[in-house]
Amino acid sequence: MMMIVGVIGAGQLARMMIPAAVELGIELRVLAEADGMSAGLAAVGVGDYRDRDAVLAFADTVDVLTFDHEHVPQEILRELVDRGVAVHPGPDALLYAQDKLLMREKLTELGLPVPDWARVENSDELAAFLSDHGSRAVVKTPRGGYDGKGVRVVRAADEADDWFAALTEGDALLVEELVDFSRELAQQVARRPSGEIVSWPLVETVQADGVCSEVIAPAPHSAGRLADVARQIAVTVAEGIGVTGALAVELFQTTDGRLLVNELAMRPHNSGHWSMDGSTTGQFEQHLRAVLDLPLGSTEIHDEWSVMVNILGGPVEGTLADRYATAMSQHPSVKVHNYGKAPRPGRKVGHVTAVGDDLDDVTYQARAAAAHFAD
Amino acid sequence: MMMIVGVIGAGQLARMMIPAAVELGIELRVLAEADGMSAGLAAVGVGDYRDRDAVLAFADTVDVLTFDHEHVPQEILRELVDRGVAVHPGPDALLYAQDKLLMREKLTELGLPVPDWARVENSDELAAFLSDHGSRAVVKTPRGGYDGKGVRVVRAADEADDWFAALTEGDALLVEELVDFSRELAQQVARRPSGEIVSWPLVETVQADGVCSEVIAPAPHSAGRLADVARQIAVTVAEGIGVTGALAVELFQTTDGRLLVNELAMRPHNSGHWSMDGSTTGQFEQHLRAVLDLPLGSTEIHDEWSVMVNILGGPVEGTLADRYATAMSQHPSVKVHNYGKAPRPGRKVGHVTAVGDDLDDVTYQARAAAAHFAD
């Protein structure tokens, strides 16, 4: 069978596919944007993902194409499909991860619960939305945002004037109600082209400055109905949009107990890193199985709780490895994942995961181990 | 800190170090004996491990040197140490994995339980041993054997004549009593240069035609005294011989209930593959931590049982991956490890591991999944 998977992008998501690929005998080829990136070990070339010729040439060397990120332009994706390349997820699905306005329209069409939203082309339209929503809202640029970038909370219609001014003709911003939420959750599923879908437990995600800092799996107090609803939402998204590979649906749990869809990620996602150590099949193995249309693995958990804490920034001096001696001696059960990236304030340079049956202890272990890698 | 680990040899043991190295940000450089070997992904060069210049040149490019096998000649190992290369395990330890006569002498000197044995230079000496041991014994060539090669059960003194004839002056064969054992066990530990030792649970190993076919972890009925004795034996070996990295001590459990040391392996070992999926720290990660003198990881188990079954030979036609669709759909919880080697009768081309709390079910799952890969 076909076993060469090409990954466009060489960040930590591509990197963490390497171990799963090695174990399954899958050849992983990465198209990196530069030398020395996180997944450099598997890089077979350096090229810009917006460069049609570079992407097409890379695609010729692989059986299946997948992604470390969602930014490959639609016209290139569609040309790949036209040329018969197996692209997973495909352009029809990726569209909704690339454009938040289209995503909101599609989720609304699928009957899924989303925050109140509108397409706004100017500050007058934004003012109207604000007046209907208690003079506060979230404005988002439909394309190009991640980790909190391209997202702004506004309380007056002129607070997005710079973004309106930068719009090209026919474009618009997305405005959403500022949701009163008690917590953020994420539901991850994987779907293979022939249709099989599996889901991991619903997880709770904690953000700091718009960046995921911690994930608790399963989400506390999520047994029963809440988990069922979340899973059904993610399955509806995966099937409704035709996602292949891993899909993460970020959710708000509102203060009045509803679930609303926040964002979609059609690739392995930070909210699923815990599964590498806490589930029979980790998200990176599952993504590879899914894009190769192989049967999906069990998402069973072995310990009651997994807590993943991101290493953000890393040490001011030296490398993560310089902290191994203290972190590992004090936390021998914690799994350390080092992305091989140079430390820089706020940058995701690694994560740690602890698993066990006592949530307080697991949380303590993961946070304390991660703290060894910060200054 | 130093993070480049060089591995001499590119078999599946080197290959399975790659995932752990990627997760910990360790750069792994492999000296392969040929192109296209199991650990080829991490190969930075091709060279003969008996070629002094090739090994020395490779050693210059790494911080720590370790091994996929135990066959690098002593004179090369000692020259490396003299040149200041960090070699783990070192020549003083590897000596006892390379020469079974020296190993028997050393274990006897350490007061450890071993089968009756003798150094025999000719068939008269073998005849004397046989007459003292019920006319049956096991004759072994001290060097170069593995997976049942270089081992022969004899019932008459002339049955080793070909091996005696091939001996060079001053050399000898090892003869051992044919132990009446009820089962074979293995105790694995890891030791770092600064002295810390951790042990995994005692496991039961099943051999077919002298090759490991199945491992059950922990060994059934091994709680308490048996496990304590086995661990104490392995710790005594590791400290007595100064092993650094992973050490597997293969043991006989005799029909009258004693433990006797059979063989030693100073590297990750087939009896420890289960730990990749069944223990917090798998043997390959632990070996890398140990040779880098990093704190060792927890060897806790998450499920009561792990059963590992080797894929021996593989399909007569096609590749392991051709069987993924059926194996994975019927056994979604089983972890498949594919060494990327061409199928060949009797060859270890992969393994599967199942974990869970019901030994019968776990054993069934592992055996049934492995059977999908055989014809």
Side-chain angles (χ1 to χ4, degrees):
Chain A
M1 64 161 286
M2 307 189 305
M3 289 284 276
I4 307 177
V5 175
V7 187
I8 296 188
Q12 63 264 27
L13 302 180
R15 180 188 181 95
M16 287 186 275
M17 292 178 201
I18 300 172
V22 169
E23 291 305 339
L24 289 179
I26 295 164
E27 187 175 340
L28 198 73
R29 296 186 183 172
V30 168
L31 181 66
E33 291 148 72
D35 285 326
M37 289 187 69
S38 186
L41 173 61
V44 294
V46 171
D48 190 325
Y49 60 82
R50 295 160 302 192
D51 175 344
R52 170 192 171 279
D53 295 340
V55 173
L56 263 55
F58 176 67
D60 277 345
T61 69
V62 305
D63 295 317
V64 173
L65 201 65
T66 189
F67 309 95
D68 173 80
H69 57 70
E70 292 134 340
H71 309 314
V72 178
Q74 278 287 319
E75 53 274 22
I76 297 179
L77 295 172
R78 292 187 187 279
E79 185 170 354
L80 288 167
V81 171
D82 289 345
R83 292 162 68 105
V85 178
V87 179
H88 297 293
D92 291 344
L94 273 174
L95 190 60
Y96 303 105
Q98 293 176 334
D99 189 309
K100 290 175 186 172
L101 263 171
L102 293 178
M103 184 266 285
R104 281 285 173 247
E105 281 168 16
K106 185 71 180 180
L107 295 180
T108 304
E109 180 192 320
L110 289 170
L112 292 168
V114 294
D116 279 352
W117 65 276
R119 181 180 194 281
V120 289
E121 291 186 11
N122 53 54
S123 59
D124 289 346
E125 291 179 359
L126 178 55
F129 189 90
L130 281 167
S131 82
D132 287 346
H133 292 88
S135 292
R136 46 180 218 158
V138 184
V139 179
K140 298 181 178 179
T141 55
R143 286 186 289 276
Y146 68 96
D147 279 354
K149 293 175 185 67
V151 175
R152 187 183 294 173
V153 173
V154 299
R155 290 187 161 74
D158 61 0
E159 290 178 31
D161 280 353
D162 53 335
W163 285 357
F164 284 122
L167 286 178
T168 45
E169 184 69 26
D171 277 353
L173 299 178
L174 168 65
V175 61
E176 297 175 351
E177 66 172 312
L178 190 64
V179 175
D180 281 321
F181 60 86
S182 55
R183 58 177 177 170
E184 292 185 73
L185 302 167
Q187 176 64 55
Q188 196 175 35
V189 298
R191 180 172 176 274
R192 55 189 285 215
S194 53
E196 184 192 6
I197 295 188
V198 295
S199 61
W200 282 272
L202 180 66
V203 303
E204 180 171 337
T205 64
V206 181
Q207 328 290 321
D209 299 328
V211 177
C212 175
S213 62
E214 194 172 307
V215 173
I216 306 162
H221 314 295
S222 68
R225 179 84 186 134
L226 188 72
D228 290 344
V229 171
R231 187 166 46 244
Q232 196 48 56
I233 289 172
V235 167
T236 303
V237 172
E239 292 180 338
I241 290 178
V243 179
T244 42
L247 165 72
V249 179
E250 297 182 73
L251 298 156
F252 295 120
Q253 185 173 15
T254 64
T255 48
D256 58 359
R258 294 169 300 140
L259 287 181
L260 300 177
V261 177
N262 181 17
E263 307 268 359
L264 306 181
M266 294 178 198
R267 49 173 168 76
H269 187 248
N270 202 159
S271 65
H273 289 351
W274 69 274
S275 62
M276 303 170 80
D277 300 304
S279 170
T280 297
T281 310
Q283 67 169 341
F284 297 98
E285 176 182 343
Q286 198 79 285
H287 184 72
L288 291 175
R289 289 165 77 142
V291 302
L292 285 164
D293 204 13
L294 285 169
L296 302 178
S298 162
T299 53
E300 198 181 8
I301 60 175
H302 292 262
D303 292 83
E304 274 186 63
W305 301 103
S306 297
V307 173
M308 190 276 337
V309 177
N310 275 339
I311 302 172
L312 295 171
V316 169
E317 280 188 27
T319 65
L320 290 194
D322 294 334
R323 309 297 176 90
Y324 279 2
T326 51
M328 289 177 173
S329 71
Q330 290 181 44
H331 304 285
S333 297
V334 165
K335 303 309 294 180
V336 176
H337 300 265
N338 179 342
Y339 305 158
K341 295 159 72 171
R344 198 165 69 198
R347 190 179 206 195
K348 291 177 183 172
V349 292
H351 74 268
V352 300
T353 302
V355 302
D357 292 335
D358 177 334
L359 179 56
D360 288 340
D361 181 58
V362 169
T363 305
Y364 166 75
Q365 292 289 344
R367 288 181 184 167
H372 282 281
F373 296 102
D375 279 294
Chain B
M1 63 161 287
M2 307 189 305
M3 288 285 276
I4 307 177
V5 175
V7 187
I8 295 187
Q12 63 264 27
L13 302 180
R15 180 187 180 96
M16 288 187 274
M17 294 179 201
I18 300 172
V22 169
E23 291 305 338
L24 289 179
I26 295 165
E27 187 176 337
L28 199 73
R29 296 186 183 172
V30 167
L31 180 66
E33 290 148 70
D35 285 327
M37 290 189 67
S38 186
L41 173 61
V44 294
V46 171
D48 190 325
Y49 60 82
R50 293 160 302 192
D51 174 345
R52 170 191 171 278
D53 294 341
V55 173
L56 262 55
F58 177 67
D60 277 346
T61 69
V62 304
D63 295 318
V64 173
L65 201 65
T66 189
F67 308 95
D68 173 79
H69 57 70
E70 293 134 339
H71 308 314
V72 179
Q74 279 286 322
E75 53 274 23
I76 298 180
L77 295 172
R78 293 188 187 277
E79 185 170 354
L80 288 166
V81 172
D82 289 346
R83 292 162 69 105
V85 178
V87 178
H88 297 295
D92 291 343
L94 273 174
L95 189 60
Y96 303 105
Q98 292 175 333
D99 188 310
K100 290 175 185 172
L101 263 172
L102 293 178
M103 184 265 284
R104 281 286 173 245
E105 280 168 16
K106 185 70 179 180
L107 295 180
T108 304
E109 180 193 319
L110 290 170
L112 291 168
V114 294
D116 279 352
W117 65 277
R119 181 180 194 280
V120 288
E121 292 188 10
N122 52 54
S123 60
D124 289 347
E125 291 178 358
L126 176 56
F129 189 91
L130 281 167
S131 82
D132 288 348
H133 292 87
S135 293
R136 44 182 220 159
V138 184
V139 178
K140 298 181 179 179
T141 55
R143 286 186 289 274
Y146 67 95
D147 279 353
K149 294 176 185 65
V151 174
R152 186 184 293 172
V153 173
V154 300
R155 289 187 163 75
D158 62 359
E159 290 178 31
D161 280 353
D162 54 334
W163 285 358
F164 283 122
L167 286 178
T168 45
E169 183 68 26
D171 276 354
L173 299 178
L174 168 65
V175 59
E176 298 175 351
E177 65 170 316
L178 191 64
V179 174
D180 281 321
F181 60 86
S182 55
R183 60 177 176 169
E184 292 185 72
L185 302 167
Q187 175 63 55
Q188 195 175 37
V189 298
R191 179 172 176 272
R192 55 188 284 215
S194 53
E196 185 192 5
I197 294 189
V198 295
S199 60
W200 282 272
L202 179 65
V203 303
E204 179 171 338
T205 64
V206 181
Q207 327 291 321
D209 299 326
V211 177
C212 175
S213 62
E214 194 172 306
V215 173
I216 306 161
H221 314 294
S222 68
R225 178 83 186 136
L226 188 73
D228 291 345
V229 171
R231 187 165 48 243
Q232 195 48 55
I233 288 171
V235 167
T236 302
V237 172
E239 293 180 337
I241 289 178
V243 180
T244 42
L247 166 72
V249 179
E250 296 182 74
L251 298 156
F252 295 121
Q253 184 172 15
T254 63
T255 48
D256 59 357
R258 293 170 301 141
L259 288 180
L260 301 177
V261 177
N262 181 16
E263 306 269 359
L264 307 180
M266 295 179 196
R267 48 173 169 76
H269 187 248
N270 203 159
S271 65
H273 290 351
W274 69 274
S275 62
M276 302 170 81
D277 300 305
S279 169
T280 298
T281 310
Q283 66 168 343
F284 297 97
E285 176 181 344
Q286 198 79 286
H287 183 74
L288 291 175
R289 289 164 77 142
V291 302
L292 285 164
D293 205 13
L294 285 169
L296 302 178
S298 164
T299 53
E300 200 180 6
I301 59 176
H302 292 262
D303 292 82
E304 273 185 63
W305 301 104
S306 298
V307 173
M308 189 277 336
V309 177
N310 275 340
I311 302 172
L312 295 172
V316 169
E317 280 189 25
T319 66
L320 290 195
D322 294 333
R323 310 297 176 92
Y324 280 1
T326 51
M328 289 177 174
S329 71
Q330 290 181 45
H331 305 283
S333 297
V334 165
K335 303 309 293 181
V336 176
H337 300 264
N338 179 341
Y339 305 158
K341 293 159 74 172
R344 199 165 69 199
R347 191 180 205 195
K348 290 177 182 172
V349 293
H351 74 268
V352 300
T353 302
V355 303
D357 293 335
D358 177 334
L359 179 56
D360 288 339
D361 180 58
V362 169
T363 304
Y364 166 74
Q365 293 288 342
R367 287 181 185 167
H372 281 282
F373 296 103
D375 277 295

